[in-house]
Amino acid sequence: MRTLWLDGAQWLAVLRVGLGLWWLESWRHKDKKGWFERGTGIAWAADVARKHRWPAVKRGFDTVVAPRPRTMAYVVVYAELALGLGLVAGFLTPVALAGGLLLNLLYLVLMIHDWAEQGQNAMMALISLVALFTLSWQTWSLDDAIGWLGA
């Protein structure tokens, strides 16, 4: 593959690291005190789920998230941090890419009415797919340095 400046594998690593930085920014800008102490993040998501056009979303939220809001707040916030760190460092990269893809698809379904959120999550999911299926951890990653995952 001919490219300018970097080779194809390096560009895929840039894409992976950029996605990781996007997850880290999502984590950084969250009001952690609000999420953990006041439950603002889960309360906001509950309101979105309650008004959702698909009844299955509300049922799923009521079954999985509503009974354990504090735990789920920690899961969401620290999942975004773990995804970001994993992708930037290239550590357990396929796990981070698959986890991020699932989280983005979950966000995409929850925020079906919000075009800005849909666009962001659709792009992040697409980057995850490309990075996953092109083995983007083969360059500039701990996975490659350690020799894990066939890198």
Side-chain angles (χ1 to χ4, degrees):
M1 172 191 322
R2 291 184 52 204
T3 70
L4 297 176
W5 191 37
L6 302 173
D7 67 29
Q10 290 169 326
W11 279 117
L12 291 168
V14 167
L15 195 64
R16 183 199 79 232
V17 170
L19 180 61
L21 293 172
W22 202 342
W23 278 116
L24 288 174
E25 174 56 21
S26 181
W27 173 80
R28 186 200 64 80
H29 83 263
K30 278 192 174 34
D31 173 12
K32 280 97 173 154
K33 190 171 186 172
W35 272 74
F36 300 147
E37 294 177 17
R38 297 186 309 276
T40 57
I42 299 301
W44 168 81
D47 186 56
V48 171
R50 183 178 50 79
K51 298 174 187 171
H52 205 280
R53 67 176 78 161
W54 298 342
V57 171
K58 181 182 181 327
R59 284 192 307 273
F61 188 92
D62 289 345
T63 301
V64 176
V65 180
R68 51 192 74 78
R70 186 172 175 86
T71 300
M72 295 309 292
Y74 279 94
V75 167
V76 168
V77 171
Y78 286 109
E80 291 182 357
L81 175 62
L83 292 169
L85 293 174
L87 293 173
V88 169
F91 183 66
L92 297 176
T93 313
V95 174
L97 288 167
L101 177 62
L102 290 173
L103 195 55
N104 281 127
L105 292 175
L106 183 66
Y107 290 170
L108 187 70
V109 169
L110 182 63
M111 298 302 300
I112 199 81
H113 68 283
D114 186 330
W115 287 105
E117 283 290 324
Q118 280 187 326
Q120 172 179 312
N121 288 295
M123 287 298 96
M124 290 176 81
L126 178 62
I127 293 168
S128 293
L129 277 175
V130 169
L132 184 61
F133 288 113
T134 58
L135 312 179
S136 66
W137 54 90
Q138 296 178 87
T139 303
W140 302 338
S141 74
L142 289 175
D143 292 333
D144 181 50
I146 296 169
W148 285 3
L149 309 167

